[in-house]
Amino acid sequence: MARKKIAAGNWKMNTTIEQGIELALRVANAERNISITTILGVPFTHLFPLQKKIKASSKILLAAQNCHHKTSGAYTGEISPEMLSAMKVPYVIIGHSERREYNHEDNALLALKIRAALNSKLKVIFCCGEGLEIRKANTHINYVKNQLMESLFQLDANEMKNIVIAYEPIWAIGTGETASPAQAQEMHASIRSMLQKKYGKRVAENTSILYGGSVKGNNAQELFSQPDVDGGLVGGASLNSDEFVQIINSF
Ligand code: PGA
């Protein structure tokens, strides 16, 4: 089975519900390659209204952008994986660099979140990636390896079916500076070989690895043509339906 090609939008903390519905419907109704798995990572408040508005036939899947690591309890302001799965939200993004930075989420906490999400039958888009200092010091591969080892590699091979990895170098997020296709390919191939060492060839071949960090309509094709780049996690450009559709159609 060939691994999935995925275009995932990450809207972050953008759009009102009304704007979000309009944006999602534009993507849903656009002329696009529906063999590409298309995911919209939207604010919690948007999940329910979007489920009502988007027809199943449009093959758009929703993702939450975070979840808590407990099922329920006295955690004011949090959303549990169970709540998402009861709503039939298929995906959750875990470990985005903005949550690591602003909400102090570390590898150990992210391991708990991944475990909790899988226990609730969610699929996880797990984000990893290095900052500029690490890149300059040329230790980026080991840095990402450590992120995977401390958060993800607790899972068994069977559970890895529910994981998508998103490599997002922090220096490329929202900066307009993209990793070159060769830089992306180098990291993606390294991640795949880490998967192979830990889980064997089948898991390595079947796990989709997305690139994120200033993916745009005009650079997606080159990035996605790299052999180990299976798609993108797209922030800013996913807020423009025409550009996001262009990205979906760049495979
Ligand atoms: P960007 O964000 O495309 O705006 O760089 C990517 C992300 O944070 O997922």
Side-chain angles (χ1 to χ4, degrees):
M1 192 195 79
R3 54 186 178 261
K4 281 193 189 110
K5 302 275 183 208
I6 300 176
N10 175 12
W11 292 2
K12 311 192 179 186
M13 195 175 72
N14 291 298
T15 73
T16 61
I17 288 179
E18 212 168 77
Q19 292 164 341
I21 289 172
E22 194 185 323
L23 176 56
L25 286 179
R26 278 174 190 265
V27 176
N29 296 330
E31 189 86 26
R32 66 189 161 82
N33 181 351
I34 54 156
S35 71
I36 305 303
T37 301
T38 299
I39 302 172
L40 300 179
V42 305
F44 288 127
T45 45
H46 295 32
L47 290 166
F48 191 63
L50 287 181
Q51 279 180 327
K52 300 279 147 212
K53 293 282 180 184
I54 301 174
K55 291 204 189 82
S57 60
S58 70
K59 299 245 192 284
I60 301 258
L61 302 172
L62 294 177
Q65 298 172 10
N66 173 42
C67 66
H68 198 261
H69 60 284
K70 293 275 176 68
T71 307
S72 63
Y75 302 101
T76 302
E78 296 289 344
I79 302 281
S80 76
E82 187 132 304
M83 294 170 183
L84 296 171
S85 115
M87 282 179 70
K88 304 203 178 342
V89 172
Y91 282 92
V92 61
I93 299 171
I94 289 181
H96 192 278
S97 62
E98 285 150 18
R99 293 208 59 90
R100 291 175 187 260
E101 181 178 356
Y102 305 133
N103 300 77
H104 313 293
E105 297 188 358
D106 61 15
N107 292 343
L109 176 68
L110 297 174
L112 295 176
K113 290 193 182 214
I114 292 170
R115 167 57 51 215
L118 293 193
N119 286 351
S120 291
K121 309 266 181 280
L122 298 170
K123 291 183 192 297
V124 170
I125 300 174
F126 175 69
C127 302
C128 56
E130 81 288 354
L132 189 57
E133 290 308 307
I134 306 275
R135 169 64 62 168
K136 281 187 180 154
N138 203 27
T139 54
H140 48 288
I141 305 247
N142 268 334
Y143 184 86
V144 167
K145 183 176 182 189
N146 191 53
Q147 288 180 319
L148 297 182
M149 285 196 326
E150 292 190 356
S151 299
L152 198 58
F153 285 0
Q154 53 165 325
L155 303 181
D156 65 31
N158 198 39
E159 290 173 315
M160 286 299 292
K161 277 193 213 121
N162 301 309
I163 301 292
V164 172
I165 295 173
Y167 167 60
E168 300 205 303
I170 297 167
W171 47 271
I173 294 178
T175 57
E177 186 175 342
T178 321
S180 68
Q183 283 174 320
Q185 171 56 24
E186 179 204 33
M187 181 62 85
H188 285 228
S190 303
I191 292 173
R192 206 173 301 287
S193 100
M194 293 168 208
L195 290 172
Q196 171 143 356
K197 278 209 188 89
K198 170 78 184 165
Y199 294 110
K201 199 170 161 80
R202 193 177 52 84
V203 170
E205 286 299 319
N206 288 338
T207 303
S208 299
I209 307 175
L210 313 184
Y211 168 79
S214 298
V215 175
K216 306 281 177 213
N218 61 15
N219 61 22
Q221 194 163 22
E222 218 188 346
L223 287 161
F224 297 171
S225 65
Q226 300 300 307
D228 288 292
V229 177
D230 306 310
L233 180 56
V234 184
S238 72
L239 294 169
N240 177 311
S241 58
D242 290 343
E243 189 165 10
F244 189 56
V245 169
Q246 188 186 349
I247 291 168
I248 296 168
N249 289 336
S250 323
F251 286 87

